[in-house]
């Protein structure tokens, strides 16, 4: 970029309109600055003349508004029911300019055509670099000869901006590739799991949510879900905690100077008898002998320079500001030129940074100006070059003040507080540590050791300006080794162990930072999404609790045995993306490895979807849609309409079918045997049937409804190749043909042979007109699965189990809703048959329910997960469907197995 020659046109593009305006004002010095409208009324174009290293330039400064492009699937994959969610791991994706950004694109097109250079003023982080390459793609499409240059700056102040434009560099393709990889990974994983969760659960349960049920989306994000996992895991720790009583000996001594409190060096004992014996020994020989006196100087060091995470944590701790609000206010202060760029991982200043000049800016402040003067006075010895925390993102310095302000009239209280925090933090980190004198005294009482400590602050130093921290201490009397005295008080006190507190926002940010979840620029977004999705709530003390929905989702994946809610997977992804950003790994390599791993997790989760259903059933009532309109899972593409998929579902009568998702426009359906009690779509694909893929279904048949020789469990295919399935349809017939979602004529699949049950003889009574599953003899003859009998050993009324044949004894329920009602349930641990006695006359065959589920589902015991009741009152009893208490669960307050401790009537007494 040597100077001289004719004037060239330079297109400058900033990330936001406010930044474009600020940079244009600084470079032009507000002389000869002209403003005109672009295609977008929000993104003005500023024109002025300038010289870059002696080269005369006519500068055109405009802006985008964040990302110019969006990554999405091609049109045929964008609709939720257009494909199997597993296909989204390979589906084609594309980056396009969305409709609401087209005016910005048109402005760039028009201006780029008449320019020779393109200078990019995007934020100097990975995300900004990615936006820069989006601008490059748009501008290069209309002008291939553009010279590309990048301006790197950290603050909107004259010195930084002029230095940036005179030292332009090349854009960083590695940074942009790292963001592209993250975007594609998040899109594919998020879309597949979100569609899976939402289609599986939304219509099956009455979900309490801040969102209208019709628009409810159960989203999954690779960063969002591990963040939720931290909240749920801490909540489970609290719920699992059982208080234990302990005992400790407390010793105090008052002198003319002050009073000292000595702590028992054993801490405490859980054995009351041992504690009493030791206490009695001390009472009998109460004379205390000083065994050690240690005096030493202690230093309390100032904080490291301010990074984004520390800014968010401290604003939350000191002001109870949310991380989202903190970043919004910090962005405003940055764009106004008062602080440096607020998104940085760096917590150490470069040796080239003029720290004294930054302090000089603050000399005139009415509150901390006097402290700044003391810092700059060499005679005070208050100045100290700041130490660093060892993190440097090589892009931006730590957050620091860039311009003096005694308070702008337009600022909110949050603006004033955050600016004050940044300034005071900066002044503190260039100050000497606080100095204190600490005395520790150890004494011996009847062989038991006690200690007390006191502190006197000798020099406050940085604490004078950093009012957010204190260094408390107490003054204790003077003691000498060998000195003896009698205690003023000597008591045996009891206490109770307490669980850890709920995670605060500062705690949660620390967990995310330590595990590598998200980046400094995105962590607050992940937290906000949890609140927006109603997966978690935050109280007035900024502490997080999971909602029923958030806990149920984490519980479901945890029960599968997969740690999708743990940070491990995302931490690996973030590490790989960092490797891309420094050129150690390629974007393609990281994408291939990560997506292969996550697709395997997705397929496993889908096979084990029953765990999610069971977890949701603990917290939420099942909806009518679950009984009559279950959404189903994709089995294959529809062979009739060729535009939608065939899914496994139940019809209105509870019978399984595979029907087209485009019903009622397309009525293609495959009717499955009426003897099917369970059916689950697996990830296995049939090797014979075309067009594929055709996913195999794991069937479970009712033993008494299929002939001998057929297995109760069968992995079958509805594509036409399954001879076993065809025979069972011929022998047993199909279920009722009232399709889910509507009534009317249906079309059967050409791949499976269908038979009219009215033309087929029942295998039990040999009569036509009904299937074996509807045979009247099953309710009156010797094969009646629900006929009353008597247990020969006990004399109790019983019926044979429809699944395993074991006699089911008549019992009486004691739940609140069904007290005194009679029912039959199977005694086998492997079988879940259940039937109300009064349903037999109505022709009900009984049903299988999960072992240990509650007829009044409330909390779940075990692993400390009993924290919420799904909207039920505190009087909910925790019993199984049989009315028996849940095994191994009890109230730890009174020992009663009918409730947990938070509902105990004796709690607090």
């Amino acid at each position: 970029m040597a100077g001289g020659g004719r004037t060239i046109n330079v297109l400058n593009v900033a990330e936001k309109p406010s930044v474009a305006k600020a940079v244009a004002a600084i470079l032009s010095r507000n002389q000869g600055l002209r403003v005109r409208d672009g295609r977008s009324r929000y993104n003005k174009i500023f024109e002025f003349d300038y010289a870059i290293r002696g080269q005369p330039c006519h500068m055109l400064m405009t802006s985008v508004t964040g990302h110019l492009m969006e990554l999405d699937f091609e049109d045929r994959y964008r609709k939720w029911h257009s494909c199997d969610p597993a296909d989204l791991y390979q589906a084609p994706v594309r980056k396009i300019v969305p409709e609401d950004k087209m005016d910005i694109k048109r402005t760039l097109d028009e201006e780029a055509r008449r320019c020779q250079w393109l200078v990019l003023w995007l934020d100097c982080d990975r995300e900004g670099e990615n936006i820069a390459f989006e601008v490059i793609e748009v501008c290069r499409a209309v002008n291939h000869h553009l010279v590309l240059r990048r301006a790197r700056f950290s603050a909107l102040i004259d010195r930084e901006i002029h230095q940036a434009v005179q030292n332009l560099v090349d854009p960083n393709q590695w940074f942009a590739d790292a963001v592209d990889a993250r975007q594609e990974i998040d899109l594919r994983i998020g879309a597949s799991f979100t569609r899976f969760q939402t289609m599986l659960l939304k219509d099956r349960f009455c979900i309490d949510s801040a969102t209208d049920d019709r628009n409810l989306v159960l989203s999954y994000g690779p960063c969002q879900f591990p963040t939720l996992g931290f909240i749920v895991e801490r909540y489970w720790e609290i719920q699992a905690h059982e208080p234990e009583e302990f005992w400790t000996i407390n010793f105090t001594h008052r002198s003319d100077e002050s009073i000292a409190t000595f702590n028992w060096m054993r801490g405490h004992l859980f054995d009351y008898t041992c504690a009493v014996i030791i206490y009695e020994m001390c009472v009998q020989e109460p004379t205390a002998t000083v065994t050690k006196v240690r005096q030493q100087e202690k230093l309390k060091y100032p904080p490291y320079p301010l990074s984004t995470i520390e800014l968010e944590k401290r604003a939350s701790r000191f002001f109870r500001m949310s991380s989202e609000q903190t970043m919004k206010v910090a962005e405003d202060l940055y764009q106004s030129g008062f602080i440096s760029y607020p998104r940085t991982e760096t917590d150490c200043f470069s040796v080239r940074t003029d720290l004294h000049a930054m302090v000089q800016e603050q000399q005139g402040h009415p509150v901390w100006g006097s402290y700044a003067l003391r810092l700059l006075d060499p005679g005070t010895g208050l100045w100290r070059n700041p130490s660093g925390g060892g993190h440097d993102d090589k892009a931006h310095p730590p957050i620091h003040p860039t311009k003096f302000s005694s308070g702008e009239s337009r600022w909110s209280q949050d603006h004033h507080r955050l600016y004050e925090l940044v300034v005071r933090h900066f002044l503190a980190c260039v100050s000497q540590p606080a100095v204190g004198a600490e005395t520790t005294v150890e004494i011996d009482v009847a062989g038991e050791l006690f200690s007390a400590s006191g502190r006197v602050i000798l020099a406050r130093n940085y604490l004078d300006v950093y009012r957010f921290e204190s260094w408390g201490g107490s003054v204790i009397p003077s003691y000498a080794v060998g000195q003896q005295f009698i205690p003023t008080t000597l008591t045996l006190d009891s206490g109770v162990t307490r669980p850890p507190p709920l995670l605060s926002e500062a705690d949660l940010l620390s967990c995310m930072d330590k595990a590598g979840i998200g980046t400094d620029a995105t962590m607050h977004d992940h937290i906000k999404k949890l609140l927006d999705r109603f997966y978690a709530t935050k109280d007035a003390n900024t502490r997080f609790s999971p909602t029923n929905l958030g806990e149920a989702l984490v519980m479901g994946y945890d029960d599968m045995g997969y740690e999708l809610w743990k940070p491990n997977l995302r931490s690996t992804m973030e590490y790989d993306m960092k490797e891309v950003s420094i050129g150690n790994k390629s974007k393609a390599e990281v994408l291939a490895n990560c997506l292969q791993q996550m697709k395997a997790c997705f397929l496993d989760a889908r096979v084990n979807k029953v765990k999610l259903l069971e977890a949701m059933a603990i917290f939420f009532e099942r909806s009518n849609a679950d009984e009559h309109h279950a959404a189903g899972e994709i089995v294959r593409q529809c062979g009739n309409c060729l535009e939608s998929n065939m899914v496994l579902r139940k019809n209105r009568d509870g019978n399984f079918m595979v029907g087209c998702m485009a019903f009622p426009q397309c009525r293609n359906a495959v009717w499955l045997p009426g003897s099917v009690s369970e059916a689950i779509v697996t990830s296995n694909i049939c090797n014979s049937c075309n067009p594929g893929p055709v996913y195999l279904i794991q069937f479970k048949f009712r033993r008494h409804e299929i002939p001998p020789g057929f297995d109760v469990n069968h992995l079958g295919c509805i594509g036409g190749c399954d001879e076993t399935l065809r025979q069972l349809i011929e022998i047993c017939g199909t279920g009722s043909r009232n399709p889910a979602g509507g009534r009317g004529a249906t079309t059967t699949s050409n791949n499976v042979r269908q038979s009219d049950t009215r033309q087929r003889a029942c295998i039990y009574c040999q009569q036509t007109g009904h299937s074996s599953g509807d045979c009247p003899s099953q309710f009156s003859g010797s094969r009646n699965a629900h006929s009353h009998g008597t247990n020969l050993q006990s004399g109790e009324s019983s019926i044979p189990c429809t699944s395993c044949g074991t006699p089911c004894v008549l019992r009486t329920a004691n739940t609140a809703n069904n007290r005194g009602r009679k029912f039959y349930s199977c005694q086998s641990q492997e079988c879940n048959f259940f039937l109300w006695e009064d349903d037999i006359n109505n022709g009900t065959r009984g049903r299988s329910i999960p072992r240990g589920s509650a007829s009044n589902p409330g909390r779940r015991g075990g692993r400390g997960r009993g924290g919420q009741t799904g909207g039920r009152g505190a009087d909910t009893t925790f019993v199984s469907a049989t009315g028996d208490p849940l095994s191994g669960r009890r109230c730890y307050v009174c020992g009663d197995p009918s409730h947990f401790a938070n509902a105990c009537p004796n709690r607090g007494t």
Side-chain angles (χ1 to χ4, degrees):
M1 281 194 177
R6 62 184 179 85
T7 300
I8 61 172
N9 293 326
V10 179
L11 176 59
N12 298 266
V13 182
E15 190 162 323
K16 301 175 186 69
S18 57
V19 176
K21 181 180 179 180
V23 172
I26 291 171
L27 292 180
S28 67
R29 294 183 169 85
N30 285 318
Q31 296 177 358
L33 180 64
R34 300 174 297 280
V35 184
R36 59 185 170 88
D37 290 333
R39 291 284 185 171
S40 168
R41 60 176 177 160
Y42 303 108
N43 303 82
K44 306 289 186 181
I45 301 172
F46 304 88
E47 294 190 53
F48 55 94
D49 294 325
Y50 190 81
I52 301 177
R53 296 212 169 186
Q55 170 65 58
C57 300
H58 180 66
M59 307 285 273
L60 295 93
M61 173 71 71
T62 187
S63 62
V64 292
T65 51
H67 277 282
L68 182 61
M69 295 181 170
E70 288 181 355
L71 184 71
D72 207 343
F73 297 105
E74 291 189 353
D75 290 342
R76 69 172 293 254
Y77 294 95
R78 294 182 66 178
K79 292 184 179 180
W80 276 41
H81 297 298
S82 61
C83 67
D84 182 342
D87 294 342
L88 298 178
Y89 287 89
Q90 294 88 26
V93 294
R94 58 181 179 177
K95 245 188 171 183
I96 58 171
V97 179
E99 191 59 39
D100 62 339
K101 302 286 181 73
M102 287 304 295
D103 284 342
I104 298 175
K105 177 183 180 299
R106 294 186 186 101
T107 297
L108 295 177
D109 287 346
E110 293 170 0
E111 303 302 327
R113 284 190 178 96
R114 59 192 186 93
C115 291
Q116 288 78 50
W117 288 2
L118 173 63
V119 177
L120 301 152
W121 293 82
L122 287 309
D123 290 348
C124 297
D125 55 11
R126 281 193 243 167
E127 210 72 31
E129 211 71 20
N130 189 261
I131 300 172
F133 276 89
E134 293 173 358
V135 173
I136 290 172
E137 183 177 337
V138 168
C139 295
R140 273 275 176 93
V142 297
N143 185 348
H144 296 291
H145 303 292
L146 277 173
V147 175
L148 306 178
R149 278 294 182 254
R150 179 77 159 93
R152 295 200 173 278
F153 59 101
S154 296
L156 292 172
I157 56 177
D158 290 16
R159 181 183 68 254
E160 286 265 347
I161 297 304
H162 284 291
Q163 183 178 348
V165 77
Q166 297 298 337
N167 295 277
L168 299 173
V169 297
D170 294 327
N172 190 326
Q173 182 70 59
W174 289 341
F175 274 25
D177 284 348
V179 175
D180 280 337
R182 178 187 56 76
Q183 287 181 343
E184 186 170 340
I185 287 169
D186 288 354
L187 173 66
R188 294 185 185 278
I189 297 173
S192 61
F193 274 94
T194 297
R195 292 185 190 184
F196 162 64
Q197 288 180 173
T198 305
M199 291 191 291
L200 176 66
L201 304 174
K202 174 183 173 182
D203 294 327
R204 300 193 186 204
F205 299 93
C206 300
I207 300 175
D208 301 325
S209 172
T211 308
D212 184 351
D213 283 348
R214 292 170 296 179
N215 301 318
L216 180 64
V217 174
L218 304 181
S219 72
Y220 178 100
C223 284
Q224 167 192 321
F225 224 69
T227 304
L228 174 62
F230 290 126
I231 297 171
V232 174
E233 191 167 31
R234 173 58 61 87
Y235 181 76
W236 285 348
E237 286 179 29
I238 296 170
Q239 293 300 310
H241 177 76
E242 294 197 16
E244 289 186 79
E245 190 173 13
F246 62 80
W247 289 265
T248 186
I249 301 174
N250 291 315
F251 181 113
T252 65
H253 176 236
R254 181 186 297 275
S255 70
D256 294 338
E257 303 172 47
S258 59
I259 186 170
T261 299
F262 289 86
N263 298 311
W264 193 19
M265 294 183 71
R266 288 182 187 267
H268 53 251
L269 293 178
F270 291 99
D271 190 307
Y272 176 69
T273 303
C274 289
V276 168
I277 293 172
I278 296 174
Y279 174 67
E280 289 180 346
M281 290 167 54
C282 294
V283 169
Q284 290 172 5
E285 299 180 21
T287 303
T289 303
V290 178
T291 59
K292 185 183 297 183
V293 177
R294 183 173 63 252
Q295 295 179 326
Q296 59 182 341
E297 184 179 87
K298 284 283 187 178
L299 301 178
K300 182 175 177 62
Y301 286 93
Y304 294 135
L306 198 58
S307 64
T308 302
I309 301 303
E310 276 303 312
L311 176 67
E312 292 174 335
K313 287 161 62 175
R314 290 172 186 261
S316 174
R317 191 179 302 124
F318 301 152
F319 313 131
R320 294 187 177 177
M321 285 175 62
S322 70
S323 54
E324 178 197 11
Q325 175 67 2
T326 298
M327 293 311 297
K328 180 178 181 298
V329 172
E331 186 72 23
D332 288 344
L333 293 174
Y334 160 67
Q335 293 184 25
S336 301
F338 290 101
I339 67 171
S340 62
Y341 188 63
R343 293 183 175 87
T344 176
E345 297 176 8
T346 304
D347 57 10
C348 52
F349 282 106
S350 167
V351 293
R352 298 186 298 275
T353 304
D354 189 351
L355 300 175
H356 286 81
M358 297 180 191
V359 176
Q360 287 170 358
E361 286 272 351
Q362 303 298 325
Q363 291 180 98
H365 196 277
V367 179
W368 54 76
S370 58
Y371 185 85
L373 286 170
R374 287 174 54 204
L375 265 175
L376 295 171
D377 183 359
T380 64
L382 186 57
W383 181 277
R384 169 179 170 270
N385 289 326
S387 56
H391 301 93
D392 189 353
D393 60 13
K394 306 297 183 184
H396 296 285
I399 303 169
H400 60 271
T402 55
K403 187 164 64 175
F404 168 81
S405 173
S406 59
E408 305 296 304
S409 59
R410 63 183 179 83
W411 280 4
S412 68
Q413 183 183 18
D414 286 345
H415 285 76
H416 285 285
R417 292 191 299 187
L418 205 66
Y419 179 74
E420 180 184 358
L421 172 59
V422 171
V423 175
R424 287 183 182 274
H425 193 101
F426 169 70
L427 295 176
C429 74
V430 294
S431 301
Q432 291 289 346
V435 182
E438 187 172 275
T439 301
T440 303
V441 178
E442 293 183 9
I443 61 173
D444 182 301
V445 180
E448 290 300 307
L449 299 181
F450 297 80
S451 69
S453 63
R455 183 187 304 115
V456 176
I457 298 179
L458 304 177
R460 290 181 55 82
N461 293 335
Y462 90 92
L463 290 175
D464 284 334
V465 73
Y466 206 59
R467 66 177 182 85
F468 312 109
E469 288 185 359
S470 62
W471 197 21
S474 59
V475 178
I476 62 174
S478 299
Y479 294 99
V481 175
Q483 178 182 345
Q484 292 186 329
F485 55 88
I486 300 297
T488 304
T489 63
L490 182 62
T491 59
L492 177 65
D493 299 316
S494 66
V496 176
T497 59
R498 299 184 180 278
L502 292 168
L503 289 178
S504 67
E505 187 147 7
D507 296 332
L508 185 56
L509 287 165
S510 295
C511 291
M512 296 170 70
D513 185 35
K514 184 177 180 181
I517 301 300
T519 65
D520 57 296
T522 61
M523 286 184 189
H524 65 283
D525 284 331
H526 303 317
I527 295 174
K528 181 177 182 294
K529 283 180 181 177
L530 293 182
L531 301 174
D532 291 344
R533 299 296 187 190
F534 203 60
Y535 289 170
T537 59
K538 183 169 68 170
D539 64 20
N541 295 318
T542 74
R543 294 195 177 275
F544 291 87
S545 299
T547 61
N548 285 349
L549 181 56
E551 187 178 359
L553 291 174
V554 171
M555 184 185 294
Y557 286 115
D558 185 51
D559 286 344
M560 291 178 189
Y562 308 117
E563 297 188 337
L564 294 176
W565 57 280
K566 291 279 192 177
N568 311 48
L569 287 172
R570 187 62 189 190
S571 296
T572 302
M573 294 180 204
E574 293 286 359
Y575 174 79
D576 285 345
M577 284 179 270
K578 189 170 184 179
E579 290 292 286
V580 172
S581 70
I582 60 178
N584 289 345
K585 289 186 178 182
S586 69
K587 169 186 164 184
E589 176 188 358
V590 168
L591 279 173
N593 292 340
C594 177
L595 293 177
Q596 180 183 13
Q597 182 183 29
M598 287 307 300
K599 183 177 181 180
C601 289
F602 174 81
L603 294 175
D604 285 343
R606 190 165 65 177
V607 170
N608 291 279
K609 65 181 180 180
V610 68
K611 299 297 185 181
L612 267 179
L613 296 172
E614 289 175 353
M616 289 290 290
I618 292 170
F619 295 93
F620 300 102
E621 293 281 2
R622 291 188 178 271
S623 66
N624 292 332
D626 180 43
E627 299 173 10
H628 303 300
H629 305 289
E633 283 196 80
I634 294 173
V635 179
R636 67 172 306 169
Q637 184 181 14
C638 180
N640 275 13
C641 65
L642 301 178
E643 295 180 356
S644 192
N645 291 303
M646 305 279 285
V647 296
L648 175 68
R649 58 173 60 152
K650 284 185 177 181
N651 65 10
R652 291 182 184 274
D653 296 322
N655 295 303
F656 285 98
M657 60 174 286
V658 177
C660 182
M661 297 176 71
F663 181 88
Q665 288 76 18
C666 178
R667 297 177 178 270
N668 188 19
V670 177
W671 299 96
L672 299 172
S675 53
V676 175
S677 63
E678 294 179 19
I680 298 176
V681 180
T682 70
S683 58
N684 300 321
I685 296 174
C686 179
N687 296 323
S688 304
C689 295
N690 289 303
V694 179
Y695 291 96
L696 303 183
I697 301 175
Q698 182 65 57
F699 293 102
K700 183 174 182 179
F701 298 98
R702 300 182 187 91
R703 166 56 67 193
H704 75 285
E705 293 185 11
I706 61 174
F710 286 91
D711 195 349
V712 171
N713 298 299
H714 175 65
L715 185 64
C717 174
I718 58 96
C721 67
D722 192 333
E723 182 63 23
T724 299
L725 192 61
R726 185 188 65 78
Q727 290 178 10
L728 286 174
I729 289 176
E730 288 183 349
I731 296 170
C732 303
T734 59
S736 172
R737 300 197 179 191
N738 287 329
R743 298 184 183 276
T746 61
T747 304
T748 59
S749 170
N750 296 329
N751 296 323
V752 178
R753 180 178 173 185
Q754 304 293 330
S755 301
D756 190 337
T757 59
R758 291 172 296 181
Q759 304 297 322
R760 188 183 300 115
C762 170
I763 63 170
Y764 293 123
C765 66
Q766 304 304 316
Q767 300 297 314
T768 60
H770 61 263
S771 71
S772 58
D774 299 319
C775 180
S777 68
Q778 288 297 289
F779 296 92
S780 58
S782 60
R783 301 177 190 264
N784 186 353
H786 299 155
S787 60
H788 292 270
T790 301
N791 187 307
L792 296 179
Q793 294 180 352
S794 63
E796 297 174 313
S797 177
S798 66
I799 63 170
C801 174
T802 59
S803 298
C804 66
T806 302
C808 300
V809 178
L810 184 65
R811 292 175 160 182
T812 303
N814 67 352
T815 59
N817 292 340
N818 297 293
R819 196 175 303 281
R821 194 177 178 188
K822 305 287 187 179
F823 65 89
Y824 294 96
S825 67
C826 188
Q827 301 177 70
S828 171
Q829 293 297 319
E830 305 301 324
C831 181
N832 299 317
F833 174 78
F834 174 84
L835 175 65
W836 293 111
E837 183 190 36
D838 51 21
D839 282 344
I840 295 179
N841 296 331
N842 298 329
T844 303
R845 298 177 180 280
R847 65 184 186 276
S848 291
I849 58 175
R851 279 276 173 198
S853 65
S855 58
N856 287 328
R859 297 198 231 172
R860 171 176 180 166
R863 290 184 289 184
R865 303 178 179 182
Q868 296 171 324
T869 60
R872 304 190 181 285
D875 60 346
T876 301
T877 55
F878 296 87
V879 296
S880 68
T882 64
D884 295 328
L886 285 173
S887 175
R889 312 290 181 236
R890 64 179 181 84
C891 170
Y892 62 71
V893 174
C894 68
D896 191 331
S898 67
H899 59 254
F900 286 136
N902 75 324
C904 181
N906 299 321
R907 187 182 179 96
T909 62

